Amino acid sequence: MAMIIKNGFVVSSKETKQADILVKNGKIASVEENITEPASEIIDAANMLVMPGGVDVHTHLDMPFMGTVSGDDFETGTIAAAFGGTTSIVDYVIPGKWDNLKRAVNKWHKKASGKAVIDYGFHAAIVPPVHKAVKELDYLLETGITSIKCFLAYKNTLMLDDAAFFNLLEEAAKRKILVCVHAENGEVIDYLAKKYLKEGKTEPVYHAYSRPPELEGEAVARAITLAGIAGAPVYFVHLSSKQAIQEIKQAKKSKKKVFAETCPQYMLLSENKYFEKRFKGAKYVMSPPLRKLKHCDYIKKSLTDGLIDVIATDHCPFTFRQKQKGLKNFSLIPNGIPGIETRMPLMYNEMVVKMGMDLSRFVELNCTKPAKLFGLKEKGDIKPGKDADIAIWNPDLIWKIKKKKLHENVDYTPFEECVVTGKPITVLSRGEIIIENDELKAKPGRGLYIKREKSSFS
Ligand SMILES: [Zn+2]
């Protein structure tokens, strides 16, 4: 049956206009003024913004890491995403030590099916030894996984050496697979971390000191060089520093196929969080780490300069209790923070309310561009033919972010007490209301696996 969302300000990646949206069979059928077609359901969106649901292309749900498992599974994680106006995610499959890619992908399907409330796709991380994974790249494509991730950090676990990384760049280029890169110099980080620990410097702030921004800049530059030789487009995940973005700037200037992702935490939180008393600095331990304020400001400015392509979360929550593993040694603190629920409201507040940016640019960075880059053909914009994944926002609602009001399955939020303007009130996924008046209407398991197409940029 048809549904009409009436009288809202519809924001697409191109324009904002007052219009109605006709939804049929889970798809957007038309976007026009005064749609009169008979419909079983009418949603009145007067004075509301009607935007595409968010697309978060960097999540880690139910992920084993550093001897523990991230707090949100596909049920709690996608519910939290939905409350925050996000209607699709792409999660990273990370193979365990004895897994081939096929096995790892199957594990991830088991984690997600029957649980997710929104649609989801997968990327696949390639961990050493690489030669086995290369043989499985075609399998990834067949199964709808069109991007891989390479780590240049986490020595002795996930990190690839330059030859292995280059090998993957070449193989990915042949197949038009988009290569996502975690760019930090893992060798030197390992050296610095050991040095600090030997000197008895064990507190959380040494996590940041062992990963200076120059080591991110260096790894970004190296990856751009290697990708250039191999003829492969590259996508940098979670960029956190001025040094890194400056490398992106150079590469974009010379028309290289280089794409940049950042996350709200790298714009809104800074390094002084690591000095919070009673080990609370551990709550902010993630890689790359939080930086000095000048980096945050530089990244914000880069949003308007067109240097950033995507805002994602790197949602990977560990409880404060799990973080205690590193009480006497910062290098044992599980890396990661929650953010899947707060991304869209925080960025709306920052970009639109505070910086006065165009609504379409907000939509582009948080919905449209990530969908295009990662081949989520039906997602990320409001136009006829797309899935009716829609978030209806009250743009004037002022509220305070508090852990106890969020749905992420973790005991804190790094954004506690942040006051934001604007909130998604009603959220639709494929035309079905999944959130209404701050209440969950969806059943776990309704979310579908998205067999992704190849990136429209590779
Ligand atoms: Zn990540």
mmCIF file of all heavy atoms in Angstrom, residues 43-70:
data_model
loop_
_atom_site.group_PDB
_atom_site.id
_atom_site.type_symbol
_atom_site.label_atom_id
_atom_site.label_comp_id
_atom_site.label_asym_id
_atom_site.label_seq_id
_atom_site.Cartn_x
_atom_site.Cartn_y
_atom_site.Cartn_z
ATOM 1 N N ILE A 43 1.746 10.583 6.725
ATOM 2 C CA ILE A 43 2.557 11.116 7.818
ATOM 3 C C ILE A 43 2.641 12.625 7.620
ATOM 4 O O ILE A 43 3.074 13.082 6.564
ATOM 5 C CB ILE A 43 3.974 10.498 7.818
ATOM 6 C CG1 ILE A 43 3.896 8.986 8.037
ATOM 7 C CG2 ILE A 43 4.842 11.137 8.896
ATOM 8 C CD1 ILE A 43 5.251 8.284 8.027
ATOM 9 N N ASP A 44 2.214 13.372 8.632
ATOM 10 C CA ASP A 44 2.288 14.826 8.519
ATOM 11 C C ASP A 44 3.669 15.280 8.980
ATOM 12 O O ASP A 44 4.032 15.100 10.136
ATOM 13 C CB ASP A 44 1.194 15.464 9.375
ATOM 14 C CG ASP A 44 1.229 16.987 9.246
ATOM 15 O OD1 ASP A 44 1.881 17.489 8.302
ATOM 16 O OD2 ASP A 44 0.612 17.668 10.089
ATOM 17 N N ALA A 45 4.415 15.855 8.057
ATOM 18 C CA ALA A 45 5.780 16.284 8.382
ATOM 19 C C ALA A 45 5.906 17.812 8.329
ATOM 20 O O ALA A 45 6.979 18.347 8.073
ATOM 21 C CB ALA A 45 6.779 15.617 7.445
ATOM 22 N N ALA A 46 4.796 18.515 8.597
ATOM 23 C CA ALA A 46 4.843 19.985 8.569
ATOM 24 C C ALA A 46 5.897 20.478 9.556
ATOM 25 O O ALA A 46 5.993 19.966 10.679
ATOM 26 C CB ALA A 46 3.474 20.553 8.924
ATOM 27 N N ASN A 47 6.676 21.450 9.134
ATOM 28 C CA ASN A 47 7.769 22.037 9.940
ATOM 29 C C ASN A 47 8.914 21.072 10.241
ATOM 30 O O ASN A 47 9.752 21.336 11.098
ATOM 31 C CB ASN A 47 7.253 22.614 11.262
ATOM 32 C CG ASN A 47 6.177 23.646 11.030
ATOM 33 O OD1 ASN A 47 6.332 24.503 10.154
ATOM 34 N ND2 ASN A 47 5.081 23.545 11.760
ATOM 35 N N MET A 48 8.902 19.945 9.583
ATOM 36 C CA MET A 48 9.969 18.960 9.814
ATOM 37 C C MET A 48 10.896 18.909 8.583
ATOM 38 O O MET A 48 10.490 19.252 7.474
ATOM 39 C CB MET A 48 9.365 17.563 10.014
ATOM 40 C CG MET A 48 8.445 17.445 11.206
ATOM 41 S SD MET A 48 9.397 17.317 12.728
ATOM 42 C CE MET A 48 8.198 17.915 13.906
ATOM 43 N N LEU A 49 12.110 18.428 8.837
ATOM 44 C CA LEU A 49 13.011 18.147 7.719
ATOM 45 C C LEU A 49 12.862 16.675 7.372
ATOM 46 O O LEU A 49 12.840 15.816 8.262
ATOM 47 C CB LEU A 49 14.462 18.413 8.120
ATOM 48 C CG LEU A 49 14.853 19.865 8.372
ATOM 49 C CD1 LEU A 49 16.288 19.925 8.911
ATOM 50 C CD2 LEU A 49 14.746 20.679 7.088
ATOM 51 N N VAL A 50 12.753 16.393 6.102
ATOM 52 C CA VAL A 50 12.616 15.001 5.663
ATOM 53 C C VAL A 50 13.899 14.650 4.898
ATOM 54 O O VAL A 50 14.129 15.137 3.798
ATOM 55 C CB VAL A 50 11.373 14.826 4.782
ATOM 56 C CG1 VAL A 50 11.209 13.370 4.387
ATOM 57 C CG2 VAL A 50 10.126 15.324 5.520
ATOM 58 N N MET A 51 14.731 13.855 5.542
ATOM 59 C CA MET A 51 16.058 13.596 4.968
ATOM 60 C C MET A 51 16.254 12.095 4.717
ATOM 61 O O MET A 51 15.568 11.266 5.309
ATOM 62 C CB MET A 51 17.131 14.102 5.932
ATOM 63 C CG MET A 51 16.961 15.587 6.250
ATOM 64 S SD MET A 51 18.491 16.392 6.673
ATOM 65 C CE MET A 51 18.447 16.324 8.448
ATOM 66 N N PRO A 52 17.230 11.759 3.867
ATOM 67 C CA PRO A 52 17.537 10.330 3.713
ATOM 68 C C PRO A 52 18.054 9.772 5.040
ATOM 69 O O PRO A 52 18.673 10.515 5.805
ATOM 70 C CB PRO A 52 18.655 10.299 2.666
ATOM 71 C CG PRO A 52 18.897 11.693 2.229
ATOM 72 C CD PRO A 52 18.107 12.625 3.088
ATOM 73 N N GLY A 53 17.809 8.511 5.294
ATOM 74 C CA GLY A 53 18.402 7.874 6.462
ATOM 75 C C GLY A 53 19.916 7.874 6.331
ATOM 76 O O GLY A 53 20.455 7.815 5.224
ATOM 77 N N GLY A 54 20.595 7.953 7.455
ATOM 78 C CA GLY A 54 22.054 7.983 7.430
ATOM 79 C C GLY A 54 22.650 6.668 6.940
ATOM 80 O O GLY A 54 22.054 5.597 7.104
ATOM 81 N N VAL A 55 23.810 6.767 6.322
ATOM 82 C CA VAL A 55 24.548 5.579 5.874
ATOM 83 C C VAL A 55 25.892 5.600 6.610
ATOM 84 O O VAL A 55 26.704 6.492 6.396
ATOM 85 C CB VAL A 55 24.763 5.620 4.341
ATOM 86 C CG1 VAL A 55 25.574 4.413 3.879
ATOM 87 C CG2 VAL A 55 23.421 5.683 3.615
ATOM 88 N N ASP A 56 26.083 4.644 7.500
ATOM 89 C CA ASP A 56 27.317 4.593 8.298
ATOM 90 C C ASP A 56 28.183 3.444 7.772
ATOM 91 O O ASP A 56 27.895 2.270 8.019
ATOM 92 C CB ASP A 56 26.969 4.381 9.778
ATOM 93 C CG ASP A 56 28.196 4.483 10.689
ATOM 94 O OD1 ASP A 56 29.327 4.550 10.164
ATOM 95 O OD2 ASP A 56 28.012 4.482 11.924
ATOM 96 N N VAL A 57 29.226 3.804 7.044
ATOM 97 C CA VAL A 57 30.016 2.768 6.356
ATOM 98 C C VAL A 57 31.217 2.287 7.169
ATOM 99 O O VAL A 57 32.118 1.645 6.632
ATOM 100 C CB VAL A 57 30.498 3.246 4.963
ATOM 101 C CG1 VAL A 57 29.326 3.382 4.015
ATOM 102 C CG2 VAL A 57 31.279 4.556 5.059
ATOM 103 N N HIS A 58 31.215 2.574 8.471
ATOM 104 C CA HIS A 58 32.339 2.090 9.284
ATOM 105 C C HIS A 58 31.853 1.699 10.676
ATOM 106 O O HIS A 58 31.810 2.523 11.588
ATOM 107 C CB HIS A 58 33.418 3.176 9.372
ATOM 108 C CG HIS A 58 34.707 2.688 9.964
ATOM 109 N ND1 HIS A 58 35.913 3.327 9.759
ATOM 110 C CD2 HIS A 58 34.994 1.628 10.765
ATOM 111 C CE1 HIS A 58 36.874 2.689 10.401
ATOM 112 N NE2 HIS A 58 36.335 1.653 11.023
ATOM 113 N N THR A 59 31.474 0.431 10.821
ATOM 114 C CA THR A 59 31.042 -0.054 12.148
ATOM 115 C C THR A 59 31.731 -1.380 12.471
ATOM 116 O O THR A 59 32.201 -2.093 11.572
ATOM 117 C CB THR A 59 29.510 -0.265 12.205
ATOM 118 O OG1 THR A 59 29.152 -1.355 11.335
ATOM 119 C CG2 THR A 59 28.751 0.991 11.800
ATOM 120 N N HIS A 60 31.780 -1.664 13.765
ATOM 121 C CA HIS A 60 32.335 -2.936 14.251
ATOM 122 C C HIS A 60 31.371 -3.517 15.281
ATOM 123 O O HIS A 60 31.495 -3.265 16.466
ATOM 124 C CB HIS A 60 33.697 -2.711 14.904
ATOM 125 C CG HIS A 60 34.729 -2.141 13.983
ATOM 126 N ND1 HIS A 60 35.344 -2.889 13.005
ATOM 127 C CD2 HIS A 60 35.255 -0.903 13.869
ATOM 128 C CE1 HIS A 60 36.208 -2.125 12.341
ATOM 129 N NE2 HIS A 60 36.170 -0.922 12.845
ATOM 130 N N LEU A 61 30.388 -4.266 14.795
ATOM 131 C CA LEU A 61 29.420 -4.870 15.706
ATOM 132 C C LEU A 61 29.853 -6.297 16.025
ATOM 133 O O LEU A 61 30.324 -7.017 15.144
ATOM 134 C CB LEU A 61 28.024 -4.859 15.075
ATOM 135 C CG LEU A 61 27.476 -3.466 14.713
ATOM 136 C CD1 LEU A 61 26.104 -3.570 14.068
ATOM 137 C CD2 LEU A 61 27.421 -2.552 15.932
ATOM 138 N N ASP A 62 29.694 -6.672 17.301
ATOM 139 C CA ASP A 62 29.982 -8.043 17.714
ATOM 140 C C ASP A 62 31.369 -8.486 17.245
ATOM 141 O O ASP A 62 31.551 -9.595 16.751
ATOM 142 C CB ASP A 62 28.893 -8.957 17.110
ATOM 143 C CG ASP A 62 28.754 -10.267 17.879
ATOM 144 O OD1 ASP A 62 29.567 -10.502 18.799
ATOM 145 O OD2 ASP A 62 27.844 -11.055 17.543
ATOM 146 N N MET A 63 32.350 -7.599 17.444
ATOM 147 C CA MET A 63 33.673 -7.878 16.893
ATOM 148 C C MET A 63 34.675 -8.300 17.970
ATOM 149 O O MET A 63 34.897 -7.568 18.919
ATOM 150 C CB MET A 63 34.230 -6.644 16.180
ATOM 151 C CG MET A 63 35.568 -6.948 15.524
ATOM 152 S SD MET A 63 36.363 -5.517 14.785
ATOM 153 C CE MET A 63 37.043 -4.722 16.195
ATOM 154 N N PRO A 64 35.272 -9.472 17.802
ATOM 155 C CA PRO A 64 36.333 -9.866 18.736
ATOM 156 C C PRO A 64 37.576 -9.026 18.481
ATOM 157 O O PRO A 64 38.002 -8.894 17.329
ATOM 158 C CB PRO A 64 36.612 -11.335 18.365
ATOM 159 C CG PRO A 64 35.601 -11.712 17.338
ATOM 160 C CD PRO A 64 35.061 -10.452 16.740
ATOM 161 N N PHE A 65 38.117 -8.417 19.538
ATOM 162 C CA PHE A 65 39.277 -7.544 19.359
ATOM 163 C C PHE A 65 40.009 -7.385 20.686
ATOM 164 O O PHE A 65 39.394 -7.185 21.723
ATOM 165 C CB PHE A 65 38.815 -6.176 18.839
ATOM 166 C CG PHE A 65 39.931 -5.255 18.399
ATOM 167 C CD1 PHE A 65 40.919 -5.687 17.533
ATOM 168 C CD2 PHE A 65 39.979 -3.939 18.842
ATOM 169 C CE1 PHE A 65 41.939 -4.830 17.114
ATOM 170 C CE2 PHE A 65 40.993 -3.078 18.428
ATOM 171 C CZ PHE A 65 41.974 -3.528 17.571
ATOM 172 N N MET A 66 41.328 -7.478 20.651
ATOM 173 C CA MET A 66 42.180 -7.288 21.812
ATOM 174 C C MET A 66 41.699 -8.102 23.025
ATOM 175 O O MET A 66 41.614 -7.603 24.142
ATOM 176 C CB MET A 66 42.296 -5.795 22.153
ATOM 177 C CG MET A 66 43.004 -4.994 21.054
ATOM 178 S SD MET A 66 43.150 -3.229 21.394
ATOM 179 C CE MET A 66 44.531 -3.169 22.535
ATOM 180 N N GLY A 67 41.356 -9.349 22.744
ATOM 181 C CA GLY A 67 40.991 -10.272 23.820
ATOM 182 C C GLY A 67 39.597 -10.100 24.369
ATOM 183 O O GLY A 67 39.232 -10.708 25.388
ATOM 184 N N THR A 68 38.771 -9.286 23.716
ATOM 185 C CA THR A 68 37.395 -9.134 24.182
ATOM 186 C C THR A 68 36.490 -8.913 22.961
ATOM 187 O O THR A 68 36.942 -9.101 21.834
ATOM 188 C CB THR A 68 37.317 -7.993 25.231
ATOM 189 O OG1 THR A 68 36.000 -7.897 25.740
ATOM 190 C CG2 THR A 68 37.726 -6.646 24.654
ATOM 191 N N VAL A 69 35.207 -8.587 23.178
ATOM 192 C CA VAL A 69 34.285 -8.437 22.046
ATOM 193 C C VAL A 69 33.547 -7.106 22.191
ATOM 194 O O VAL A 69 33.122 -6.744 23.295
ATOM 195 C CB VAL A 69 33.253 -9.591 22.021
ATOM 196 C CG1 VAL A 69 32.297 -9.436 20.833
ATOM 197 C CG2 VAL A 69 33.953 -10.940 21.936
ATOM 198 N N SER A 70 33.373 -6.384 21.071
ATOM 199 C CA SER A 70 32.690 -5.086 21.143
ATOM 200 C C SER A 70 31.262 -5.268 21.657
ATOM 201 O O SER A 70 30.602 -6.261 21.381
ATOM 202 C CB SER A 70 32.696 -4.400 19.772
ATOM 203 O OG SER A 70 31.971 -5.144 18.833
#
